[in-house]
Amino acid sequence: MFKNAFIPYKGYWSSPFARWQGTLQYENSIVLGAATAKKALDLRGISPQVLDGCILGWSVAQKSCFYGTPWFTGMLGNDQISGPIFSQACATSATGTGYAGSLVETGIYSAMLVAMVDRCSNGPHLTWPNPLGPGGKPVAEDWVMDNFAKDPYAKNAMIETAERVARQAKITREECDELTLDRYEKYAAALADDRAFQKRYMVSCDVRIGKKEIEFAEDEGIFPTTAEGLAKLKPVMPDGVLTYGSQTHPADGNIGIVVCTREKAEELSADKSVPVQLLSYGYTRAEKGCMAKAPVPAAWMALERAGLKVEDLAAVKTHNPFAVNDVNMEKEMKIPRRIFNNYGSSMIYGHPQAPTGGRMIIELIEELVLLGGGYGLFTGCAAGDTAGSVVVKVG
């Protein structure tokens, strides 16, 4: 349990998420992430100079990413700091935030930026030397598509892990469709009153397309969802419970979260009467080929470390690439639907991988503020049957 790891109120932001091969498809995610972070810090009146460290998280390589964090922080406006490049697929934000909490807790840093950037669009195509190949032909790999399709250890695609868990937990197609519609309708609440909820944390990206510069200000690629529409879709796998409607879609975007000491949080906060504390981090690795199970034990670990029970929670957010994840978690942890993934989730607004969990942690904080405070849980699965989870408290 962390005792001195805090997040300044409004010391965080997320770009809108762009659909795969959409508006951000040609943007270097590190360059765009640094520009968005610089813009966000300026809007919040926070100087980059107050930061003494940075964690840069990504899961899809970009041109010049070898230089990673020092390149990012230089573009941000503070070329006196650096830090590690961090990657744990879809759990990168949760684990990166937990790692930053540990570094602040132990006094190594006083104010760290957790920056998460990814572009699933136009992923890199790699070639590896293969002297035994015919004519010396190299081995080729598509960074994004090939890794979505096959875990080299479990030997399955990600959707197969969800279908396996569905069979084990006796989860039905009807349950998945019902939950998907619930998440879509809750996302609609984030768009009410001219996107009032999203505007609490979202920062637009300035993007050049051809000779024109545009402001990318809203999520892109949201699929209109109805019960009738979901019922018409065919399962992705024969005899499966999941359709293209009840799973997420790849996306592009970035986020930033400042993790710091209590004193720094009070100094940087937009409202000193709203303390935001990072309480704990949990992690797990589920049984082989059962990725959709992993969020539950990670959540239990984070809650236990924070000294909390499900009944203590005011809000829960999850990265749910498949509806099965949330159906299983709702049953296993007995989470009330009324506190579960309000304002939508990654299944609806897309999944740029590293930034996804960060946006949901940010949304969790803002939801708790609107509720007048309380405890919140974020948990989400990641490649390799793993998961990361954090608990926050808004005073």
Side-chain angles (χ1 to χ4, degrees), residues 21-365:
Q21 302 302 119
T23 299
L24 302 182
Q25 65 174 303
Y26 297 118
E27 298 296 314
N28 184 306
S29 67
I30 299 173
V31 176
L32 183 65
T36 307
K38 187 173 184 179
K39 180 178 181 179
L41 288 173
D42 182 61
L43 287 170
R44 284 148 176 72
I46 299 174
S47 168
Q49 306 307 314
V50 306
L51 303 171
D52 56 4
C54 179
I55 294 172
L56 177 65
W58 51 261
S59 70
V60 180
Q62 301 286 282
K63 187 177 184 298
S64 302
C65 65
F66 178 87
Y67 289 90
T69 312
W71 181 33
F72 179 93
T73 54
M75 291 186 288
L76 179 66
N78 186 343
D79 60 7
Q80 303 302 302
I81 63 171
S82 186
I85 303 170
F86 204 88
S87 184
Q88 195 195 346
C90 320
T92 305
S93 278
T95 304
T97 302
Y99 181 51
S102 299
L103 293 172
V104 169
E105 187 79 10
T106 53
I108 297 173
Y109 292 96
S110 64
M112 295 199 76
L113 174 61
V114 178
M116 299 286 147
V117 303
D118 253 331
R119 189 192 75 199
C120 292
S121 299
N122 296 313
H125 306 281
L126 309 181
T127 56
W128 308 98
N130 180 22
L132 299 180
K137 183 180 179 181
V139 175
E141 177 187 39
D142 182 290
W143 186 300
V144 175
M145 301 308 297
D146 287 349
N147 287 305
F148 280 173
K150 189 171 183 180
D151 178 340
Y153 177 66
K155 311 295 184 186
N156 51 219
M158 290 185 178
I159 191 170
E160 290 180 81
T161 73
E163 291 289 2
R164 181 175 290 116
V165 172
R167 289 192 296 272
Q168 292 175 354
K170 296 181 171 54
I171 294 170
T172 67
R173 161 74 184 268
E174 290 72 24
E175 287 177 302
C176 290
D177 285 357
E178 179 193 5
L179 184 130
T180 300
L181 185 61
D182 174 80
R183 300 303 186 249
Y184 177 78
E185 291 174 345
K186 286 178 174 176
Y187 176 78
L191 305 181
D193 300 322
D194 191 27
R195 299 175 47 246
F197 181 77
Q198 290 183 350
K199 288 180 178 179
R200 296 175 68 88
Y201 66 86
M202 196 171 282
V203 173
S204 63
C205 300
D206 300 313
V207 181
R208 180 169 291 279
I209 298 179
K211 295 182 179 180
K212 296 175 62 177
E213 187 168 291
I214 68 164
E215 182 183 22
F216 179 60
E218 301 181 29
D219 290 331
E220 175 183 79
I222 310 302
F223 297 97
T225 303
T226 64
E228 295 76 19
L230 288 169
K232 292 177 182 178
L233 297 175
K234 294 181 179 180
V236 177
M237 299 184 67
D239 302 318
V241 300
L242 294 166
T243 68
Y244 285 114
S246 53
Q247 62 177 297
T248 191
H249 50 95
D252 308 328
N254 59 79
I255 68 97
I257 300 172
V258 176
V259 179
C260 57
T261 62
R262 181 193 298 268
E263 293 74 23
K264 279 288 185 182
E266 290 177 353
E267 175 189 332
L268 302 176
S269 178
D271 185 342
K272 292 178 175 56
S273 69
V274 187
V276 181
Q277 185 175 5
L278 178 64
L279 288 182
S280 64
Y281 165 70
Y283 60 91
T284 195
R285 184 171 181 176
E287 63 192 83
K288 189 176 182 180
C290 292
M291 183 180 74
K293 276 187 176 180
V296 172
W300 284 130
M301 180 185 287
L303 287 171
E304 182 180 358
R305 289 178 168 180
L308 298 173
K309 299 178 180 178
V310 171
E311 305 90 85
D312 299 317
L313 297 171
V316 174
K317 298 288 283 185
T318 64
H319 162 49
N320 49 352
F322 307 104
V324 166
N325 290 49
D326 279 7
V327 175
N328 180 67
M329 186 173 171
E330 193 173 72
K331 291 180 176 181
E332 289 287 318
M333 299 185 69
K334 295 180 173 52
I335 297 173
R337 184 71 64 93
R338 61 182 171 78
I339 70 168
F340 202 174
N341 273 334
N342 293 320
Y343 304 103
S345 64
S346 55
M347 187 169 64
I348 303 303
Y349 51 64
H351 179 32
Q353 300 199 116
T356 303
R359 171 168 170 173
M360 305 194 79
I361 293 168
I362 290 165
E363 289 190 350
L364 179 64
I365 293 169

